[in-house]
Amino acid sequence: MIDFNTLLIFIPIALALNLTPGADMLFCLGQGVKSGPRAGIAASLGIATGSFIHALAGGLGLAALIAANPVAFEIIRWAGVSYLLYLAYKAFTSSIGALEPARLGFSQNWQAWKDGVWVCLLNPKVAIFMLALVPQFVDPDKGSVLVQFLVFGMILNIGGTVINALIGGFAGGIGKFLAQNKRAASGLQYLTGFVFVGLAAKLAFDRR
């Protein structure tokens, strides 16, 4: 069982990290602006799903393999860059009517969730981050290493999901308001596209 004092140290660190702006936060912001509050929240849940998979992979040792294998890291990193550029292309080329509130529903929210999962999974820095931070708090004498890894990952994930959902939801309200006229909608789409291009550039040029 994880020591209570360890949790008291880990939780504030996790909260500080969750409040630091990053690719996941910007992605939820972009989805919320483009497709409304529910899509922004759905995107945050997609990021959360991807983060949990990273935590599971870290607990099973797959993150260590990525960290030790530069080729694997580069393949995943450039796959992430390509996917973000694909999302940017969709934002730049989709019809203005796609931003109309009446057309936003379950399918858009489902797509935002899926995109969030892939954006997170195709960012190897999340796996490296899990591997660098969480093991410092894992104690083999306290029980299953995998269970402890998942608990710490879940704590980190919950805080990040709440913050990203608030940002995505708030941005969604703005997007819904701006989408009432075509000029604003067009600017909104370009803004979203440039957010995705910026995320792709950050992932492409950031060093390990």
Side-chain angles (χ1 to χ4, degrees):
M1 184 176 180
I2 299 175
D3 183 77
F4 181 70
N5 291 329
T6 302
L7 290 176
L8 289 180
I9 297 173
F10 182 80
I11 291 175
I13 293 175
L15 181 60
L17 291 171
N18 289 329
L19 289 171
T20 303
D24 54 348
M25 189 180 292
L26 291 176
F27 177 77
C28 295
L29 177 67
Q31 287 293 321
V33 168
K34 185 183 77 167
S35 301
R38 292 183 179 179
I41 294 172
S44 72
L45 295 177
I47 293 290
T49 303
S51 296
F52 180 78
I53 294 173
H54 274 301
L56 179 60
L60 293 173
L62 295 180
L65 176 63
I66 295 175
N69 190 330
V71 175
F73 181 91
E74 290 301 315
I75 289 174
I76 295 176
R77 182 164 71 97
W78 285 105
V81 171
S82 300
Y83 190 70
L84 285 167
L85 290 176
Y86 167 70
L87 293 178
Y89 171 77
K90 289 202 304 181
F92 286 134
T93 59
S94 60
S95 63
I96 293 177
L99 286 174
E100 294 176 1
R103 297 187 60 177
L104 301 179
F106 176 79
S107 61
Q108 286 82 359
N109 299 334
W110 173 247
Q111 187 63 48
W113 177 85
K114 290 192 295 182
D115 287 343
V117 173
W118 283 111
V119 165
C120 185
L121 288 180
L122 294 174
N123 184 359
K125 288 183 176 292
V126 177
I128 303 301
F129 173 77
M130 287 284 186
L131 189 66
L133 175 68
V134 176
Q136 300 181 42
F137 297 90
V138 172
D139 185 353
D141 295 331
K142 299 295 184 180
S144 169
V145 171
L146 176 59
V147 171
Q148 292 182 65
F149 213 105
L150 291 177
V151 170
F152 286 122
M154 186 67 70
I155 292 173
L156 193 63
N157 211 356
I158 290 173
T161 301
V162 171
I163 293 170
N164 288 336
L166 289 173
I167 290 173
F170 178 73
I174 296 175
K176 196 171 183 179
F177 171 76
L178 293 175
Q180 293 178 357
N181 68 77
K182 291 185 178 182
R183 181 173 296 180
S186 179
L188 207 55
Q189 287 181 239
Y190 279 102
L191 174 62
T192 302
F194 283 122
V195 167
F196 290 144
V197 170
L199 292 177
K202 185 177 186 303
L203 186 57
F205 296 110
D206 273 0
R207 296 187 179 274
R208 291 180 64 176

